[in-house]
Amino acid sequence: MMENEKLQVLLSKMTVKQKVAQLLQLNPFYFEADRNEEQITGPMTDLHVTEEEIGLVGSILGVPDAENARKIQNQHLTTDPNKIPLLFMIDAIHGYKTIYPIPLAMAGTFNPAIVEETASMSAYETSTQGHHVTFSPMVDLVRDARWGRVMEASGEDVYVNQEMARAFVRGYQGPANELHGNQEKIAACVKHFAGYGMVEGGREYNTVDLSRKELFQNHLPAYEAALDEGAKLVMSAFNLFEGVPVSANTYIFRDILRERLAFEGVTISDWGAVKELVYHGVTGGKEGAAELALKAGIDIEMMSSCYIEYLEVLVERGEIETAILDEAVLRILTLKNDLGLFENPYRGLDLENKELSEEHLDIARRAAEESFVLLKNDEQTLPLNTEAKVALVGPFAESDDLLGGWVIFGKRDETPVLATKFKETFTNATVVPTADHQTITDAEIAEAVAAAKLSDSVVLAVGETSDESGEASSRSNIQLAAAQQKLIKAVAEVNENITLVIFNGRPLELTGIEAYAKAILIAWFPGSEGANALTRVLSGKVAPSAKLTMSFPRAVGQVPIYYNQLPTGRPVDAADADAAFASSYLDVANTPLYPFGYGLSYGELTITDWSIANTQLQKDEAVSIEVTVANTGTTTTSDVVQLYMNDPIAAVSRPIKELKRFHKLTMAPQTTATITLTLLYKELGYYDSQTNYRIDAGELHFTVGFDSAHVSERKTLTVKEGS
Ligand code: GLC
């Protein structure tokens, strides 16, 4: 590995133009590469870059495969006089070629180990195709199901978000962060810094207005966790913070990211975000945009050309100090060096290809099985008897749209459909697919009804398509399409044993159809092995064990709805509440249809006892909470013990409940287990309005349960001394 001094020497030999080119990131459309529409992940506008500049560019995103990566790197090393290798980046968000469930589903596993395993598999496949960085994980806290990008998030909880951020980064970069010596690992780019999850109205690319207190309390912790694990890059968000676009926001990038979080890695703009400063109305043109973004601390400009067109002259005129340019370039050179690119610009390309290998499909299958959320299972409708006559009906019965919204290289036509796997296990199954998910003909409904009449039970495979969630896919209506609701109702009229298997990238409003089903299984977008995994769960080979990390609303009008809300001055459940003037809706309850942390299994665990070991806590002591769980049933069962905290009196209003720890257990029948959950003193505090972190002396309340809405009686911990 090169010494830092050698990088300094290299930097000192570079011309300003060469330095600025290191800050430019283009996609393969500017190179002699095979390319297709799928690699375009943002608007393609004409960039003003010359052939010479393309020859000097620092990084590239979205190269299609190893062959092109090799070709482009080869070519680049002949055009760059300093022979600085190109850095290849990609959106491998939930797998590369072997696709695992969308991140929102993965978070619901409440199992960081499987998240790490899938991320590690993704890193491997990504590296073998010549990429060095993935634009993942997205750690934005989300509360609005209308926003399509919730599929990329870990949900509405700060702690889950932190744990998943850590797991993804460990999986990509390896626990020791030894990217140099380990070509199977790649660098993680955590995004979208910061606050992007709060877009108003859930509308993509929209305005955000967030207080500093909220930013510190709810949004930064997952970034801190990712950086603590060693994440190498941070991507800027498209939104504003306090009126200033994040990509030009010195407070966000310099004061918080560099100073407070002590981040030393590379920052990158989101696609076109530097040029978009003009549209935000904070500068009159691209020159101003370049100046604002670099000064704010954005090192790489992705897919717009403000830097390459204007930085040279800005530096020449003294409007930007060379030192600011140099620090950005040095960070990029350092990342290339950390990855070992100076020694081997073809890093990863010679690794054995394991795409869709048995080993990787096995990981994808296990991840999918652990990500399905069982919302309802009346009369133990599931698992289904494999001998029974089951009708598999609906738009997703034969759909290959199982991979999800953030997939560039996974192939739908290589993905087994549900019907194929289902028929292998359920030998008496009848399959009645519909051609579309929005338009279902009367003839199709009649055929489904006829099959349902002749069957013991019906599995309705319904949902939204993968392009209805993800980037640029916000929706104001989050119900199933009207035609699917009609289909469900028609089938339910002739057969009451209905299981809904729902494919979705976001919490849906299921109120109108939930009563028609005895069982509801949320499949999300389950990836390459989705059909297999679903069949194994429906047949009882494996039991569901996932939990929601985002509340499912009763009505879209409740959104944003999240469990860790603040108290109101007029709570509906106060002893002296005057119903007419309490905080509520006239037409819907305050509660969600299915709450955070909720999800059933085929068996049931019970918490039989729990206690706080030390109810008086001195400064810097840890608190231990013991929970005893029993499986009194007849089947091996998994569930997630959840520990919630409430700080009843603080300088700022604190959430009625916040998750502090979780622990997933798998228990054999007729066994008990005791787990210990330990919280550190420093984890018991909060941020006040001045963004000071404080821990107050006084009482804290704890509860435990298997979901956020059904918890034990509270127990009290007294913190003896604040700080
Ligand atoms: C996008 C996204 C970002 C992604 C990037 C590169 O527009 O917002 O998440 O990583 O472009 O494709």
Side-chain angles (χ1 to χ4, degrees):
M1 196 149 118
M2 266 209 269
E3 310 287 322
N4 194 27
E5 280 158 32
K6 282 200 181 154
L7 292 180
Q8 294 278 5
V9 173
L10 173 59
L11 181 67
S12 70
K13 285 199 277 191
M14 294 168 73
T15 64
V16 174
K17 163 138 258 126
Q18 290 164 359
K19 290 178 185 173
V20 173
Q22 283 299 313
L23 312 190
L24 175 62
Q25 176 162 108
L26 297 175
N27 75 356
F29 276 66
Y30 294 86
F31 299 80
E32 294 282 304
D34 300 334
R35 54 221 179 171
N36 60 48
E37 295 290 312
E38 281 163 12
Q39 293 140 22
I40 305 177
T41 51
M44 289 288 287
T45 45
D46 259 355
L47 301 189
H48 299 271
V49 277
T50 64
E51 279 305 314
E52 187 207 349
E53 288 160 351
I54 292 172
L56 297 174
V57 139
S59 62
I60 178 165
L61 85 156
V63 170
D65 54 32
E67 202 184 313
N68 279 281
R70 198 181 285 278
K71 198 162 85 185
I72 292 171
Q73 187 71 287
N74 245 334
Q75 170 68 17
H76 176 81
L77 293 171
T78 65
T79 54
D80 182 348
N82 301 305
K83 305 223 170 315
I84 302 170
L86 260 173
L87 194 55
F88 291 70
M89 307 198 189
I90 190 73
D91 290 281
I93 309 293
H94 48 114
Y96 187 82
K97 188 85 189 248
T98 313
I99 304 299
Y100 57 89
I102 57 171
L104 186 61
M106 288 306 297
T109 64
F110 278 80
N111 181 358
I114 187 91
V115 173
E116 185 176 335
E117 203 180 348
T118 50
S120 173
M121 161 182 102
S122 177
Y124 184 96
E125 292 190 9
T126 303
S127 184
T128 59
Q129 295 297 342
H131 308 281
H132 314 126
V133 174
T134 179
F135 297 129
S136 171
M138 171 174 132
V139 304
D140 300 317
L141 184 107
V142 293
R143 292 172 170 172
D144 195 326
R146 293 170 296 182
W147 194 42
R149 300 202 83 160
V150 303
M151 57 79 66
E152 277 181 79
S154 292
E156 68 196 35
D157 179 68
V158 182
Y159 179 64
V160 170
N161 218 7
Q162 281 182 299
E163 291 302 291
M164 297 305 155
R166 284 185 186 282
F168 272 110
V169 174
R170 272 199 306 271
Y172 293 137
Q173 298 194 170
N177 287 310
E178 280 170 356
L179 295 173
H180 192 273
N182 192 350
Q183 297 187 24
E184 299 184 6
K185 296 294 172 193
I186 56 171
C189 176
V190 59
K191 67 190 187 185
H192 309 82
F193 199 65
Y196 191 27
M198 293 295 107
V199 282
E200 280 183 6
R203 200 184 80 211
E204 182 70 308
Y205 313 128
N206 201 9
T207 287
V208 167
D209 196 3
L210 190 66
S211 70
R212 292 190 182 202
K213 180 198 84 73
E214 272 294 294
L215 178 75
F216 276 81
Q217 187 68 50
N218 292 325
H219 299 270
L220 292 183
Y223 283 96
E224 290 182 81
L227 300 186
D228 186 50
E229 287 295 336
K232 295 278 186 192
L233 300 95
V234 172
M235 185 188 289
S236 75
F238 287 124
N239 54 274
L240 309 181
F241 184 77
E242 295 178 334
V244 179
V246 166
S247 304
N249 199 311
T250 309
Y251 172 68
I252 291 290
F253 272 88
R254 298 236 178 240
D255 299 0
I256 294 189
L257 186 67
R258 295 290 182 205
E259 299 289 321
R260 197 152 172 164
L261 305 186
F263 177 63
E264 290 178 349
V266 172
T267 57
I268 182 168
S269 81
D270 202 342
W271 181 297
V274 176
K275 192 186 80 183
E276 288 169 19
L277 296 176
V278 178
Y279 296 99
H280 279 296
V282 293
T283 180
K286 287 160 90 178
E287 180 175 333
E291 184 175 350
L292 283 174
L294 191 71
K295 285 188 172 166
I298 306 294
D299 298 337
I300 299 180
E301 178 183 11
M302 184 201 296
M303 287 303 284
S304 62
S305 53
C306 308
Y307 283 6
I308 199 75
E309 286 183 66
Y310 294 101
L311 283 187
E312 215 180 334
V313 46
L314 283 164
V315 170
E316 253 165 44
R317 293 207 305 256
E319 280 163 44
I320 287 185
E321 291 169 41
T322 312
I324 292 193
L325 175 63
D326 283 359
E327 64 173 26
V329 178
L330 190 61
R331 282 193 287 261
I332 295 163
L333 297 179
T334 304
L335 176 61
K336 293 181 176 186
N337 191 33
D338 287 350
L339 283 155
L341 289 174
F342 288 104
E343 289 84 359
N344 181 6
Y346 306 100
R347 178 190 198 278
L349 290 174
D350 293 326
L351 289 171
E352 180 198 344
N353 186 323
K354 293 189 186 172
E355 290 169 356
L356 300 175
S357 64
E358 216 172 291
E359 178 191 340
H360 283 192
L361 288 174
D362 181 68
I363 299 172
R365 195 205 75 237
R366 284 189 283 112
E369 286 168 0
E370 220 181 315
S371 75
F372 304 141
V373 188
L374 184 62
L375 294 182
K376 184 171 179 179
N377 195 19
D378 290 356
E379 299 161 32
Q380 293 190 314
T381 299
L382 294 182
L384 298 167
N385 179 349
T386 53
E387 309 291 311
K389 281 186 158 159
V390 187
L392 174 63
V393 169
F396 280 85
E398 283 188 354
S399 168
D400 58 9
D401 189 9
L402 306 181
L403 298 181
W406 242 133
V407 170
I408 301 181
F409 301 106
K411 292 278 164 281
R412 280 167 64 159
D413 58 10
E414 292 171 6
T415 308
V417 304
L418 180 56
T420 309
K421 292 287 157 192
F422 195 83
K423 280 190 294 189
E424 283 169 21
T425 299
F426 295 91
T427 40
N428 294 319
T430 328
V431 179
V432 186
T434 67
D436 188 60
H437 78 297
Q438 271 179 336
T439 315
I440 299 176
T441 63
D442 288 345
E444 285 174 322
I445 293 184
E447 208 189 326
V449 167
K453 267 190 194 153
L454 298 174
S455 302
D456 302 320
S457 69
V458 185
V459 173
L460 273 144
V462 293
E464 50 175 13
T465 52
S466 61
D467 55 10
E468 288 172 336
S469 65
E471 187 175 350
S473 301
S474 295
R475 294 179 66 194
S476 66
N477 175 348
I478 55 170
Q479 295 181 3
L480 290 180
Q484 294 187 55
Q485 300 196 36
K486 192 172 159 195
L487 172 73
I488 294 167
K489 290 173 187 170
V491 170
E493 263 184 32
V494 299
N495 193 321
E496 53 177 27
N497 296 321
I498 304 284
T499 295
L500 296 181
V501 174
I502 305 181
F503 296 82
N504 49 328
R506 56 156 63 76
L508 295 174
E509 180 191 316
L510 300 176
T511 307
I513 50 156
E514 164 288 318
Y516 295 90
K518 279 194 180 159
I520 301 177
L521 186 69
I522 296 297
W524 308 110
F525 284 99
S528 307
E529 277 289 276
N532 198 3
L534 274 169
T535 304
R536 284 163 53 93
V537 168
L538 291 170
S539 65
K541 241 195 181 115
V542 194
S545 66
K547 302 281 189 169
L548 298 179
T549 59
M550 225 186 144
S551 309
F552 272 46
R554 292 177 191 278
V556 71
Q558 294 176 304
V559 168
I561 182 167
Y562 47 96
Y563 86 96
N564 42 0
Q565 58 187 273
L566 297 176
T568 116
R570 296 190 174 185
V572 273
D573 53 2
D576 60 352
D578 173 344
F581 294 99
S583 175
S584 62
Y585 296 100
L586 291 177
D587 52 356
V588 68
N590 287 358
T591 53
L593 187 61
Y594 297 108
F596 171 86
Y598 176 80
L600 306 170
S601 190
Y602 293 154
E604 209 179 316
L605 303 184
T606 2
I607 293 174
T608 52
D609 195 17
W610 74 286
S611 60
I612 304 181
N614 38 341
T615 53
Q616 308 275 317
L617 200 73
Q618 302 301 328
K619 195 169 172 195
D620 294 332
E621 274 183 359
V623 52
S624 283
I625 290 162
E626 282 200 346
V627 187
T628 304
V629 184
N631 181 358
T632 53
T634 53
T635 120
T636 296
T637 299
S638 301
D639 210 330
V640 180
V641 175
Q642 300 164 37
L643 173 71
Y644 292 95
M645 187 181 94
N646 165 247
D647 184 350
I649 303 166
V652 294
S653 197
R654 300 285 299 124
I656 49 177
K657 204 177 274 170
E658 53 182 318
L659 185 72
K660 282 301 197 184
R661 284 288 183 272
F662 60 80
H663 187 115
K664 192 166 194 171
L665 278 169
T666 300
M667 294 178 63
Q670 305 301 317
T671 56
T672 59
T674 299
I675 55 165
T676 305
L677 305 168
T678 306
L679 278 175
L680 304 178
Y681 175 81
K682 65 174 187 201
E683 293 176 283
L684 302 176
Y686 61 92
Y687 288 94
D688 67 16
S689 317
Q690 273 67 52
T691 69
N692 298 312
Y693 188 74
R694 47 188 285 178
I695 299 163
D696 298 342
E699 290 189 351
L700 293 173
H701 297 155
F702 288 91
T703 48
V704 293
F706 290 114
D707 71 64
S708 64
H710 304 94
V711 291
S712 64
E713 289 284 298
R714 71 181 195 216
K715 292 192 197 287
T716 300
L717 170 77
T718 306
V719 177
K720 298 306 280 181
E721 198 187 332
S723 86

